[in-house]
Amino acid sequence: MTDALHSQSEIRRPPIPARIAASLARAGRQLADEPLGLSGFLILAVLCIVAIIAPALAPYDPNVQMLSDALQPPSLAHLAGTDEFGRDIFSRLVYGTRITIQTVLSISIIVGPVGLLIGIVSGFFGGRTDAILMRATDIVLSFPSLILALAFAAALGAGLNTAIIAISLTAWPPIARLARAEALVVRNADYVAAARLYGASSLRILLLYIAPMCVPSVIVRLTLNMAGIILTAASLGFLGLGAQPPAPEWGAMISSGRKFMLDYWWVAVMPGIAILLTSLAFNIAGDTLRDILDPRHARS
């Protein structure tokens, strides 16, 4: 009888590709009604394209020094001016997009699954498991993320990879807390109780019934957290603990340009504008994703 019920449910359920296509179409229609959100996604799409075609887009080699052109203001020859070594700032910003996108993707790949797994395990099993995992989460949350990232980066050594690891070690607790809250609600749902009656194992319930329901909220939270992650990565670069010279990391560019801020403003302001636009785009995109994926937050 159980097999018959499963067979009937599979017959009534649309194929997975059709469900994915329908969800994407619905999200596309909702996104079309959000001009501001659409602009955020467009900026992020442009950044990804810039990162991919950086060699074709940059007019100069980002690391070639031309001391005769040092500290030139923005012009047709150098759209964003040059730095103290005569390097074209626009070209360095273009190549720096690669570092930013790499950092964001790497941290998302680490933080998303780790936070999701810890959160759903804590919320589903409860009891001592929940207490241990949440106390560990609270300990990490009790430290300012930037200070903790600085400590990890200093301990692991300067470099882009260590900066990614350091930020990841401090960015998972909010994701875990959110996933736990979602799991506490989902674990009492009727379909989870039905799965238990059918004899589904705890692992199957976690992976096939609870985790998929928590993924949309985790994606939204990750997107909203990207602005803070970008600022933390830029702060590590500013302090010399991120990508090392001559890599065109935006935080390191601001650090090198702060000495010329009064007379040659473009050296520090141009990478600052890049960080501002990228962070703003992630905030707008995350807010729009929340409205699309969670109707409780829909705008009136």
Side-chain angles (χ1 to χ4, degrees):
M1 183 175 179
T2 301
D3 295 338
L5 289 174
H6 278 298
S7 300
Q8 292 175 4
S9 63
E10 291 296 331
I11 291 174
R12 290 194 299 267
R13 183 180 298 175
I16 291 178
R19 282 183 283 162
I20 294 176
S23 299
L24 291 176
R26 183 171 60 254
R29 290 192 298 269
Q30 292 175 315
L31 186 59
D33 296 332
E34 295 280 353
L36 184 60
L38 183 60
S39 65
F41 280 100
L42 288 177
I43 293 174
L44 295 180
V46 169
L47 287 174
C48 292
I49 294 173
V50 169
I52 294 172
I53 64 171
L57 190 61
Y60 301 93
D61 188 309
N63 296 322
V64 170
Q65 300 182 10
M66 295 290 293
L67 296 180
S68 60
D69 292 334
L71 299 174
Q72 294 294 317
S75 63
L76 293 178
H78 301 282
L79 297 179
T82 61
D83 62 10
E84 69 273 25
F85 298 109
R87 297 175 297 191
D88 183 65
I89 294 178
F90 177 76
S91 299
R92 291 179 62 78
L93 292 177
V94 169
Y95 275 87
T97 306
R98 285 186 164 184
I99 298 177
T100 300
I101 297 298
Q102 177 186 348
T103 302
V104 166
L105 292 179
S106 300
I107 294 174
S108 299
I109 291 172
I110 297 173
V111 169
V114 170
L116 176 64
L117 179 62
I118 293 175
I120 62 175
V121 169
S122 177
F124 178 73
F125 290 104
R128 181 173 297 179
T129 301
D130 182 32
I132 293 174
L133 292 177
M134 286 301 101
R135 296 300 76 75
T137 302
D138 291 338
I139 290 173
V140 179
L141 283 174
S142 64
F143 293 93
S145 58
L146 178 58
I147 302 300
L148 197 58
L150 284 172
F152 281 124
L156 296 173
L160 179 61
N161 292 332
T162 55
I164 290 173
I165 295 173
I167 297 173
S168 299
L169 290 173
T170 63
W172 63 266
I175 306 299
R177 301 282 294 195
L178 176 64
R180 174 183 178 272
E182 295 283 346
L184 288 173
V185 176
V186 175
R187 73 176 183 177
N188 297 320
D190 292 338
Y191 66 89
V192 175
R196 288 197 183 98
L197 291 176
Y198 291 147
S201 64
S202 297
L203 181 61
R204 181 180 179 86
I205 293 174
L206 275 175
L207 297 181
L208 298 183
Y209 294 90
I210 294 181
M213 299 300 295
C214 300
V215 167
S217 298
V218 169
I219 292 176
V220 171
R221 185 56 185 263
L222 272 175
T223 308
L224 289 171
N225 285 357
M226 281 304 112
I229 289 173
I230 290 172
L231 292 176
T232 302
S235 299
L236 293 178
F238 183 88
L239 296 173
L241 296 175
Q244 296 301 292
E249 198 274 327
W250 293 344
M253 292 174 64
I254 295 177
S255 177
S256 64
R258 74 185 190 279
K259 300 185 295 291
F260 313 99
M261 188 69 182
L262 295 179
D263 298 320
Y264 310 101
W265 56 267
W266 57 88
V267 182
V269 169
M270 293 302 181
I273 292 175
I275 294 174
L276 170 64
L277 290 178
T278 305
S279 302
L280 182 62
F282 272 109
N283 275 332
I284 293 173
D287 186 61
T288 304
L289 275 179
R290 181 184 60 189
D291 294 339
I292 292 175
L293 297 177
D294 190 353
R296 292 173 297 181
H297 292 91
R299 294 188 180 96
S300 57

